[in-house]
Amino acid sequence: MSSRHAAAIAGSLVAASFSAVLLLSLPAGADDTGPGSAEGGKVVEEAPAGVKLTTLLPERISVDNASEKTAITATVKNEGTEDSGKIRTLVVGFDGLTVKNVEGCTALAKKDLPEGSNSGFSCPIGNLAAGASKSYAVDATFDLSKTGKICLPVQTGDGKKTFWQQGPVPFGTANPSPNAPATPLLLGTDNSPAAPSGDELPRTGVGRDLLPLGATGVSLLVAGTAGLWWARRRPES
């Protein structure tokens, strides 16, 4: 075998080995959240002419079983042909899902949270141009021994009118993975925690249909698995 031929073979083997290392070093497959979903979303009050506001949540999230931390992307879209005018969105957690932070947003005071919720943030959007969208990075925790829900209403900037609301919509799984590093949860699925007597989930929150939101001037009406944020002025004392 000539030295040139031997060198060519050696070069090929090195290249093949390098390619194998590259393939092995790539992630085995990160969770694919899939496209955003408007599941559990409803029009509440009529938006201005030419404005069509909606929200999107990931179809799947992953909860770290050790820290209970998870990340959610909440998106507000204007699918209409006209600018929205000044609007805002709220990000509210219920039951086992607690919203810890929303980038660029302000935590709601406890008195401004709807009964039954445990956390919430107000996100001023301003004017959302026709065809535009705005996304928010939501840091949250999820107690996998409970159900967990999230709610995204889209309102006028002063919160007196609600155009659209997604949720409270659940994240959950029917196949918990207590021994895995993380548990994937699906949007629109009630959580079934792994427990010896997991037939009955812990009941949290209140059982009443009307959940006042306090000083923000909005209340939550639960209807089935989804609720509607109705604009309402608080009576002056």
Side-chain angles (χ1 to χ4, degrees), residues 24-106:
L24 291 173
S25 66
L26 291 175
D31 284 344
D32 180 12
T33 59
S37 173
E39 180 171 352
K42 294 184 179 181
V43 173
V44 181
E45 298 180 76
E46 186 177 358
V51 177
K52 183 180 179 182
L53 297 168
T54 60
T55 56
L56 298 173
L57 288 166
E59 293 182 345
R60 182 170 66 179
I61 62 175
S62 183
V63 177
D64 185 285
N65 286 342
S67 66
E68 297 188 338
K69 292 181 179 179
T70 187
I72 302 170
T73 300
T75 301
V76 180
K77 297 181 66 177
N78 179 6
E79 298 178 341
T81 58
E82 301 293 334
D83 292 359
S84 68
K86 188 177 291 187
I87 59 172
R88 72 173 186 178
T89 189
L90 303 180
V91 183
V92 182
F94 291 83
D95 303 330
L97 193 157
T98 302
V99 181
K100 293 296 186 179
N101 187 57
V102 184
E103 187 176 2
C105 304
T106 304

Side-chain angles (χ1 to χ4, degrees), residues 15 36 89 140 192 208 217:
T89 189
S192 298
R208 291 175 294 175

Side-chain angles (χ1 to χ4, degrees), residues 98-161:
T98 302
V99 181
K100 293 296 186 179
N101 187 57
V102 184
E103 187 176 2
C105 304
T106 304
L108 293 173
K110 187 175 181 179
K111 64 183 178 63
D112 294 336
L113 292 172
E115 293 182 35
S117 71
N118 54 48
S119 53
F121 283 74
S122 175
C123 305
I125 298 173
N127 180 62
L128 194 60
S133 64
K134 186 172 180 60
S135 295
Y136 294 91
V138 180
D139 292 326
T141 58
F142 198 109
D143 183 345
L144 292 167
S145 70
K146 301 178 182 179
T147 59
K149 301 181 182 70
I150 191 170
C151 189
L152 301 177
V154 181
Q155 307 171 336
T156 52
D158 58 10
K160 293 181 179 180
K161 189 173 184 179

